[in-house]
Amino acid sequence: MKWLDLPVAKEAQGIIQLPGSKSISNRILLLAALAKGTTQVVDLLASDDTNFMLKALTSLGVSIEHTGESSYQIIGAEGQFHVRDARLFLGNAGTAFRPLVAVLALMQGHYQMSGVARMHERPIGDLVDALRQLGADITYLENQGYPPLEIKPVKINHENIHLTVRGDVSSQFLTGLLMALPITGKKAVIEVSGTLISQPYIALTLAQMQRFGVVVEHESWQKFTLPAQQYYCSPGDIVVEGDASSASYFLAAGAIGGGPVRVQGVGSESAQGDVRFADALEKMGAHISMSENWIESGCRLSNQSPQSLRAIDLDCNHIPDAAMTLAVAALFAEGITTLRNIASWRLKETDRLAAMTKELRKLGAQIEVGEDYLRIAPPENGLTPNIAIDTYDDHRMAMCFSLVAFGAPVRINDPDCVSKTFPDYFDQFKRIVQLG
């Protein structure tokens, strides 16, 4: 589909069952593949990103059987993939590419890894530098510091592993190292230089590793220690919780469109950092309620009339993906919203700071953009109607800007890019939104 026209939305109300978390899905797939034993994974996200991980693991000789609509049986390779020579194409799936680089660098194999053009623009040099501290043999096939890569066999002779990695570019570098090092069986210490961004994603990584029997100690999120002789072991059955980043669009719809809108599959017990998006909405004046397995949002009432959202000034380091939803929600808030600590947006599926700035301005918003912040003043006379929003082959751009329909009819170009994480997003959006 080249575009999708959304008429004005009058209100939002209903219940959404969330798809499985992308971040958890790809972590669990890799851990199950590395583990000893058989893992039955339930509620796995069906998306482009998880398909790339599934295909890569199958190419590496891992036995994977599709046992139900969203269920897979994975027979673990006990830390060593059987296929030692492979070429892997991973699209634009950072949650597959970065951890697999770390794992394959420690294998005794010869691998080539590539992706789409945008993946080849996303930096990986800091992860490669860290792996080279262990003696990893990794070559850049095109541009220094970026995929595609060639990986050759390596032997690690250190009794204890001690390495340093930057933490201020992408948390996926640290995630890759944490997930890979247990296959060596050696004690490992990772020190993070610079401020660790997206800390909740590292907490998510540690939580999934613990489900497979590997415990990591950390000191103030700057030094991580993996004791020796820890190996991944299957927990048997494992259920993927709903995607907290995907929840943000529906929760924002409830706050803007009256609500209540309830998302099921994620709640107060979630390990995902983006669940705290609900706190940001509450700061904006939304009414939020939550249980262990659901979150609900709606408008607060003042004298029985819906209360407008209000602008916020927020450090978004803890919710880097869901913060994009706040940028569009800011169009419906009174005052100027400032989103800080979002420099990592520039290195995602597209340069999200540049893309968000351009598309918000099309709608009439006054935007100030800096190295790591975005300031949004909504248009004084309402959103410009019938604007065509470009999505830059970025699923989150398409989903965020669907919320514009609460203020004006809007066209979403290339809506099928949502297949990266949420193939039926627009069908679900229309289920809860009363369109004019």
Side-chain angles (χ1 to χ4, degrees):
M1 193 189 305
K2 291 184 178 179
W3 65 77
L4 175 67
D5 287 332
L6 296 175
V8 172
K10 297 179 180 178
E11 61 180 19
Q13 192 173 49
I15 298 174
I16 292 291
Q17 183 65 45
L18 292 169
S21 160
K22 175 190 74 169
S23 299
I24 294 177
S25 290
N26 270 348
R27 283 167 172 79
I28 284 176
L29 285 176
L30 183 53
L31 293 174
L34 292 171
K36 179 180 181 179
T38 299
T39 305
Q40 184 73 31
V41 183
V42 179
D43 290 344
L44 189 81
L45 172 65
S47 73
D48 290 347
D49 278 19
T50 49
N51 286 339
F52 282 123
M53 179 66 95
L54 286 164
K55 288 177 183 175
L57 294 174
T58 301
S59 298
L60 293 165
V62 179
S63 175
I64 301 176
E65 182 183 353
H66 193 183
T67 55
E69 186 178 351
S70 302
S71 301
Y72 291 82
Q73 179 180 277
I74 301 166
I75 300 176
E78 298 188 35
Q80 287 295 324
F81 294 137
H82 303 307
V83 174
R84 299 298 176 90
D85 196 323
R87 295 189 175 199
L88 305 176
F89 178 80
L90 294 154
N92 200 10
T95 55
F97 199 106
R98 272 76 175 264
L100 273 171
V101 168
V103 167
L104 295 178
L106 304 182
M107 296 281 177
Q108 299 305 306
H110 181 200
Y111 306 102
Q112 288 190 15
M113 301 180 66
S114 64
V116 299
R118 176 58 184 171
M119 178 59 83
H120 295 177
E121 296 172 349
R122 298 174 69 180
I124 201 163
D126 293 311
L127 175 57
V128 171
D129 289 347
L131 291 164
R132 284 175 173 170
Q133 294 169 42
L134 301 174
D137 187 346
I138 303 175
T139 304
Y140 298 112
L141 296 177
E142 293 179 6
N143 297 320
Q144 289 292 307
Y146 297 86
L149 305 175
E150 181 177 24
I151 299 171
K152 294 180 180 176
V154 61
K155 285 198 181 295
I156 298 174
N157 298 317
H158 314 290
E159 234 1 91
N160 295 317
I161 295 168
H162 196 125
L163 51 84
T164 303
V165 65
R166 280 182 64 182
D168 56 356
V169 175
S170 172
S171 64
Q172 289 176 359
F173 301 157
L174 177 56
T175 278
L177 294 170
L178 288 167
M179 293 177 70
L181 287 171
I183 66 178
T184 68
K186 302 174 185 291
K187 178 183 177 181
V189 176
I190 307 171
E191 296 205 45
V192 177
S193 64
T195 302
L196 177 61
I197 64 171
S198 307
Q199 177 187 309
Y201 281 110
I202 299 303
L204 184 66
T205 298
L206 301 185
Q208 305 318 308
M209 291 171 66
Q210 188 165 1
R211 294 171 87 174
F212 284 83
V214 171
V215 176
V216 181
E217 304 157 8
H218 71 85
E219 299 173 25
S220 303
W221 302 100
Q222 293 298 122
K223 182 178 180 181
F224 296 79
T225 302
L226 295 90
Q229 303 301 314
Q230 287 196 101
Y231 301 96
Y232 293 123
C233 186
S234 171
D237 293 350
I238 198 161
V239 178
V240 179
E241 71 176 48
D243 193 292
S245 303
S246 296
S248 70
Y249 315 115
F250 302 105
L251 294 175
I256 300 164
V261 172
R262 177 176 292 193
V263 293
Q264 295 187 145
V266 68
S268 58
E269 301 300 307
S270 174
Q272 298 173 73
D274 273 352
V275 75
R276 292 169 64 188
F277 173 82
D279 298 336
L281 271 188
E282 199 164 38
K283 286 185 173 74
M284 295 182 80
H287 177 70
I288 301 292
S289 52
M290 189 181 303
S291 82
E292 291 182 6
N293 196 49
W294 57 261
I295 309 173
E296 189 173 279
S297 73
C299 284
R300 287 195 182 278
L301 297 178
S302 177
N303 297 322
Q304 300 308 307
S305 297
Q307 201 172 40
S308 297
L309 295 178
R310 55 179 176 266
I312 56 172
D313 188 324
L314 187 69
D315 183 326
C316 299
N317 186 39
H318 61 299
I319 52 169
D321 287 334
M324 292 179 68
T325 316
L326 291 177
V328 180
L331 297 173
F332 302 91
E334 293 181 351
I336 299 173
T337 293
T338 304
L339 307 178
R340 304 182 186 276
N341 212 351
I342 52 174
S344 64
W345 280 14
R346 297 187 185 278
L347 304 174
K348 299 287 188 175
E349 282 80 345
T350 187
D351 180 342
R352 288 174 171 169
L353 261 177
M356 189 65 76
T357 298
K358 184 176 179 181
E359 303 310 309
L360 289 171
R361 282 175 174 160
K362 283 184 184 177
L363 294 161
Q366 297 296 310
I367 304 297
E368 180 185 331
V369 61
E371 213 29 60
D372 67 346
Y373 74 88
L374 193 67
R375 190 164 286 131
I376 305 123
E380 293 181 5
N381 299 313
L383 302 180
T384 305
N386 301 309
I387 290 297
I389 297 294
D390 292 319
T391 53
Y392 308 84
D393 196 26
D394 187 337
H395 57 133
R396 299 211 184 281
M397 288 292 292
M399 293 187 279
C400 282
F401 278 92
S402 65
L403 298 169
V404 170
F406 288 102
V410 65
R411 170 170 288 184
I412 306 294
N413 286 334
D414 186 24
D416 292 340
C417 67
V418 299
S419 64
K420 180 175 172 67
T421 53
F422 201 156
D424 66 340
Y425 170 77
F426 285 104
D427 292 335
Q428 297 298 322
F429 182 73
K430 290 174 182 177
R431 278 188 56 229
I432 63 153
V433 173
Q434 184 182 340
L435 295 169

